[in-house]
Amino acid sequence: MKLQPVRPKDRFLVFGSPLIEEPEIEEVIATLRSGWVGTGPKVARFEEEFASYKGSPHAIAVNSCTAALHLSLLAADLPAGSEVITTPLTFCATVNAIIHAGCRPVLADIDPRTLNIDPQCVEAAISGRTAAIVPVHFAGRPCAMDPIMELAEKHHLAVIEDCAHAIESSRHGRPTGTFGDFGCFSFYVTKNIITGEGGMVLTPDPDKAARVRRLALHGMSADAWNRFGDEGYKHYYVVECGFKYNMTDLQAAIGLHQLKRIEQYHKRRLQIRKMYDNALKSLPVVLPSPLDPDTTDSCHLYQILIDEKRTGITRDQFLQRMTFHGIGVGVHYLSLPEHPWYQQCFGWNPALYPHAKRVGRQTVSLPIGPKLHDEDVHDVIAAVERSLSE
Ligand SMILES: *Cc1c(COP(=O)(O)O)cnc(C)c1O
């Protein structure tokens, strides 16, 4: 008899699909009708509200987290050719930004319990040329920032936090993105709140904030943002060679309403995580380890590990079966040294980062997010059970 999928093709559950509601749809339309669709008052308001939500004095909105990382690395003023330490278990954008900023990425393996960069491996990777650390709060679980900041102080290193997964996260009451010199956020379509494409830089330093803002708009002097405003024409001066990384009011129109619902969305993620924890704990898969005390996890991803020795099927077979059952799944991530370009450029070898290599080859992300109904979550659970038993 032919196997019946849990969900038919026409009800395929798309992985990471965002919840978009009426208020942001109306605000986008109102923005279009207003005629001011570029960088303007809505971006300014989104920056203020995001800064206040995170408890940071300065926020600069940009068009992606990749741009946020690039500009932060530039504004950190690292000597050309510096080494920047980061994790092998991250999206390629983290190291690409380091390379585009004229630095050399150096990897330090993860702690297999938290999947975050291991501070002891960071220490071992520090050389005379190291100038910065880019910790990634993986899946939303805050990194061990105390030892990381201690190392940074001792060796005079800049710290740029990749918070693409970690908008709602905090550790001992301190929000992610406010430990280091810069915190970089993403509002890409699969992230916890979205603007379509978008990002944000947080920094406690007013001069660095001004530098990021200038670099995000061609390196033009400060008044450029308002040069077509109602206070009369203003000349701008290019004071350095910058980029075109500004966020627009169309994007901020979405973000303003998503940000209002961030706690509500986060609660739903926590609920779904509990449903998965309860339903999957008796299966032969590895579930996420419990959170450290006094931390908040944004719960961006829910990952299980498929160890062929225990499941009898490979991770990739499991991915195929979940897809057959109408459930979209993700892989976060194949470790960076698995990619040919980095191997060619830097001689990276996955075997040198064994924890990231193993996780990258075993991990599967299940759908989690405010768009999911209980019935969707039950379908995911049924699909996991059947994928493991068929
Ligand atoms: C999504 C992501 C980025 C890049 O974000 P964009 O806004 O798409 O540029 C960077 N780092 C990590 C860890 C990510 O998940």
Side-chain angles (χ1 to χ4, degrees):
M1 201 184 79
K2 200 169 171 295
L3 277 178
Q4 287 302 308
V6 171
R7 286 167 82 110
K9 277 216 162 53
D10 61 351
R11 289 182 55 237
F12 188 85
L13 189 67
V14 176
F15 180 87
S17 178
L19 184 55
I20 295 164
E21 303 196 49
E22 276 313 307
E24 48 267 41
I25 293 173
E26 280 163 25
E27 182 100 28
V28 166
I29 293 170
T31 308
L32 286 168
R33 290 199 201 287
S34 80
W36 192 291
V37 295
T39 301
K42 287 183 185 171
V43 170
R45 191 145 56 84
F46 187 44
E47 289 175 338
E48 273 166 38
E49 291 183 12
F50 194 80
S52 134
Y53 168 71
K54 293 297 297 187
S56 173
H58 307 284
I60 304 97
V62 288
N63 60 10
S64 72
C65 182
T66 309
L69 289 163
H70 185 194
L71 297 185
S72 297
L73 284 153
L74 291 173
D77 262 329
L78 313 175
S82 295
E83 292 176 0
V84 176
I85 298 171
T86 192
T87 168
L89 195 68
T90 182
F91 187 51
C92 58
T94 314
V95 289
N96 289 351
I98 293 169
I99 298 164
H100 288 313
C103 299
R104 187 182 179 89
V106 171
L107 303 179
D109 204 1
I110 56 165
D111 171 342
R113 187 182 65 84
T114 62
L115 311 190
N116 277 326
I117 198 166
D118 181 338
Q120 288 183 359
C121 298
V122 173
E123 185 161 25
I126 292 173
S127 79
R129 290 177 302 278
T130 308
I133 309 172
V134 180
V136 178
H137 304 289
F138 189 77
R141 186 189 291 253
C143 289
M145 289 312 289
D146 293 345
I148 290 174
M149 294 310 296
E150 268 169 39
L151 284 173
E153 246 163 70
K154 186 169 158 204
H155 297 274
H156 309 288
L157 311 177
V159 174
I160 295 130
E161 300 173 63
D162 182 335
C163 304
H165 297 180
I167 303 177
E168 306 93 323
S169 309
S170 65
R171 191 180 183 90
H172 308 316
R174 188 157 173 184
T176 46
T178 66
F179 289 86
D181 302 273
F182 300 91
C184 300
F185 294 83
S186 176
F187 311 117
Y188 178 66
V189 290
T190 57
K191 301 291 159 57
N192 285 21
I193 61 168
I194 67 139
T195 60
E197 295 278 4
M200 192 77 80
V201 178
L202 298 183
T203 175
D205 182 324
D207 296 330
K208 291 195 171 87
R211 178 96 193 279
V212 168
R213 195 176 289 287
R214 196 165 73 212
L215 282 169
L217 200 67
H218 306 297
M220 302 192 309
S221 53
D223 278 349
W225 295 79
N226 308 312
R227 71 188 191 277
F228 303 118
D230 54 11
E231 285 166 28
Y233 187 86
K234 289 178 186 135
H235 287 289
Y236 62 85
Y237 296 95
V238 175
V239 290
E240 65 180 318
C241 179
F243 301 85
K244 187 63 171 44
Y245 283 167
N246 55 305
M247 182 184 273
T248 69
D249 270 20
L250 276 178
Q251 294 163 302
I254 306 171
L256 281 165
H257 292 279
Q258 292 262 314
L259 185 58
K260 287 196 181 97
R261 283 185 231 111
I262 193 161
E263 296 300 347
Q264 176 196 329
Y265 284 1
H266 184 221
K267 259 194 207 126
R268 180 61 182 155
R269 284 180 182 273
L270 295 175
Q271 267 172 5
I272 296 171
R273 169 202 180 114
K274 207 168 260 168
M275 291 167 79
Y276 284 151
D277 278 345
N278 287 333
L280 305 178
K281 64 175 180 248
S282 54
L283 298 177
V285 295
V286 181
L287 301 187
S289 64
L291 263 188
D292 291 345
D294 197 25
T295 59
T296 306
D297 179 339
S298 70
C299 229
H300 174 59
L301 300 173
Y302 189 94
Q303 294 171 290
I304 58 176
L305 301 184
I306 304 293
D307 180 354
E308 191 183 353
K309 286 197 218 77
R310 291 177 61 192
T311 55
I313 60 167
T314 66
R315 188 272 306 274
D316 288 1
Q317 281 170 327
F318 182 82
L319 294 172
Q320 295 302 336
R321 291 187 189 180
M322 290 295 285
T323 310
F324 166 79
H325 281 301
I327 306 297
V329 279
V331 172
H332 300 87
Y333 302 92
L334 264 187
S335 78
L336 292 176
E338 303 263 16
H339 295 284
W341 192 80
Y342 304 119
Q343 292 172 359
Q344 285 156 28
C345 261
F346 305 116
W348 286 353
N349 172 1
L352 297 178
Y353 314 93
H355 295 307
K357 171 183 155 188
R358 181 182 56 84
V359 171
R361 291 183 180 187
Q362 295 185 344
T363 188
V364 175
S365 301
L366 303 179
I368 187 166
K371 198 172 182 176
L372 299 188
H373 300 288
D374 281 2
E375 160 201 335
D376 299 321
V377 178
H378 295 146
D379 284 349
V380 176
I381 293 164
V384 172
E385 287 168 346
R386 287 182 48 185
S387 295
L388 291 171
S389 64
E390 275 158 2

